[in-house]
Amino acid sequence: MSQGNKIRFFITGATGYIGGGVLARLLQHPQRANFELTVILRSAEKAEKLRTSFGVDAVVGSFADLALMERLAEKADVILSMADADDLPAAQAMLRGMKKHFEQTGVQPIFIHTSGTGVLSDTASGMYATDEIYSDMNPNKFDSLPPTQIHRHVDLEVIEADRQGYLKLYLVYPVTIYGIADHALAKAGIANPHSIQIPALIQASLSRGQAGMVGLGRNIWHNVHIDDIADLYIVLYDAIAANPNALAHGHDGIYIGENGEHTMYEVGKALGQAMVELGKATNPEPTTFTKADIDKYFGGSDYLGVNSRVKSERSRSLGWKPKKTKADFLASIKPEVEALIAKPGQIQLK
């Protein structure tokens, strides 16, 4: 898997919420001295910080530079893909690079790709819960998902690459991630400390002066703390490094990260209570977003009203032990509200 004594990593999304947490852990990994860490990012300023303060080879560039993405992937023994799960051209460029790597070395590179349980989205619009639960121990159930589902077109492309045999693919499926990241890269202003879904809900609710939800908020999502999901990537990598032939990969290599589930009504209720306590609302009860609200705040998408229920049985079989629970998730909402009040318009939800 390596050339000489070094294991060469190529990491996408290193300045993002998930990727920053994973990179921070790689920097503290017991095998750090044996890692060559390369990342791609748009900011020359952040790249310089990564080079000088953290010893990371930071390449300034864009995922749209497909030739660059291919070259960086070609050099890598391990790729951690933690950026846009729907960027098919970027994924295809990395696949071309990994195929060249295999043709030149005869060694299959490791591809840990981030998808997401949004791929399971239904049309509930907040009006009902579902009994449909997907386990990472039952990959065949995912075969029923149409290719039009969010993330699925990229998932199918990378699964096919594994089937062709020139790489080993491991698909990580995070759920709703929460918590304000406080690792070294976040503190240095390099990595985004905030998630997307809950802060977006908070922003919309603050703007309208009352907590909101899609429909009646009866739909169910799972949740996982940012520290726990970042740990999963390291547990997975360590398991691959220890015995690459023992782990399920490709079509069967699904690793879900979850540790609790919630209804969106429960989220709205916790958000409404936090807004009242902080003087941003007078009624803690969440109300249904109007069509105008959904158009204004969510680009017309009612994704906050879908169901997405899962079990992370395969991930736990690796020894992954998430610590934060649903209670921690609901308790995390008020600090996120406070952060968004303190920095209105400054927190990037992407």
Side-chain angles (χ1 to χ4, degrees):
M1 190 168 70
S2 63
Q3 182 175 358
N5 295 321
K6 298 285 188 178
I7 299 170
R8 299 166 299 177
F9 286 78
F10 174 44
I11 301 166
T12 68
T15 61
Y17 186 50
I18 300 175
V22 175
L23 178 56
R25 280 156 176 76
L26 288 173
L27 291 169
Q28 298 295 321
H29 195 281
Q31 296 297 314
R32 169 66 181 101
N34 296 323
F35 296 163
E36 287 184 3
L37 303 174
T38 298
V39 305
I40 183 171
L41 69 167
R42 293 186 297 269
S43 168
E45 180 184 356
K46 290 181 179 181
E48 184 61 21
K49 284 184 182 180
L50 280 168
R51 293 188 201 106
T52 58
S53 299
F54 296 96
V56 173
D57 179 12
V59 177
V60 178
S62 163
F63 298 152
D65 187 339
L66 301 182
L68 175 60
M69 293 289 286
E70 183 175 331
R71 287 197 302 273
L72 293 171
E74 182 182 349
K75 297 175 184 177
D77 303 304
V78 181
I79 293 182
L80 288 165
S81 171
M82 299 175 289
D84 185 349
D86 296 302
D87 191 337
L88 182 59
Q92 290 171 329
M94 289 189 288
L95 294 179
R96 290 193 295 272
M98 284 182 277
K99 190 171 187 179
K100 288 182 179 179
H101 177 103
F102 176 69
E103 291 169 349
Q104 293 163 8
T105 66
V107 178
Q108 296 164 300
I110 300 303
F111 188 32
I112 301 176
H113 176 70
T114 306
S115 181
T117 55
V119 72
L120 310 177
S121 298
D122 60 14
T123 57
S125 297
M127 299 308 292
Y128 58 86
T130 182
D131 294 327
E132 198 78 36
I133 300 176
Y134 288 73
S135 168
D136 50 11
M137 279 295 196
N138 185 11
N140 290 337
K141 188 168 185 176
F142 288 75
D143 293 341
S144 65
L145 298 170
T148 51
Q149 288 287 93
I150 186 172
H151 312 325
R152 188 64 177 164
H153 62 308
V154 176
D155 290 356
L156 291 172
E157 189 90 1
V158 296
I159 288 169
E160 172 60 20
D162 180 280
R163 190 193 66 77
Q164 291 182 21
Y166 61 85
L167 58 82
K168 283 193 172 179
L169 168 73
Y170 305 85
L171 279 165
V172 178
Y173 283 77
V175 291
T176 299
I177 312 173
Y178 68 92
I180 301 174
D182 63 354
H183 52 73
L185 297 178
K187 290 177 179 176
I190 294 171
N192 175 23
H194 293 276
S195 185
I196 298 174
Q197 291 98 332
I198 299 305
L201 176 65
I202 293 169
Q203 267 190 353
S205 297
L206 286 172
S207 178
R208 71 200 286 267
Q210 187 164 12
M213 58 191 172
V214 175
L216 299 178
R218 291 175 176 165
N219 55 304
I220 297 175
W221 283 5
H222 274 76
N223 50 74
V224 68
H225 192 272
I226 180 57
D227 290 341
D228 286 329
I229 194 66
D231 286 344
L232 174 57
Y233 285 82
I234 303 303
V235 169
L236 175 57
Y237 168 73
D238 286 345
I240 298 165
N243 193 347
N245 296 319
L247 266 66
H249 61 91
H251 171 273
D252 296 341
I254 294 173
Y255 299 85
I256 292 172
E258 59 79 19
N259 199 38
E261 66 177 11
H262 58 273
T263 67
M264 289 306 292
Y265 173 77
E266 291 175 300
V267 174
K269 189 74 173 178
L271 171 54
Q273 185 62 45
M275 289 174 63
V276 169
E277 291 173 5
L278 295 168
K280 295 299 179 179
T282 57
N283 185 347
E285 189 66 21
T287 59
T288 300
F289 287 123
T290 64
K291 183 182 184 305
D293 288 334
I294 290 174
D295 289 344
K296 178 178 180 181
Y297 300 117
F298 307 108
S301 171
D302 66 353
Y303 73 95
L304 289 174
V306 306
N307 286 289
S308 181
R309 302 186 69 187
V310 292
K311 288 183 180 178
S312 55
E313 295 174 308
R314 191 184 302 276
S315 294
R316 284 178 166 82
S317 76
L318 301 179
W320 180 59
K321 297 176 180 178
K323 301 177 181 65
K324 301 291 187 178
T325 65
K326 173 183 175 178
D328 296 300
F329 168 60
L330 294 176
S332 77
I333 292 174
K334 186 175 180 181
E336 290 277 11
V337 178
E338 291 171 328
L340 284 159
I341 291 172
K343 296 180 179 179
Q346 297 180 42
I347 293 176
Q348 298 299 311
L349 304 182
K350 61 180 180 179

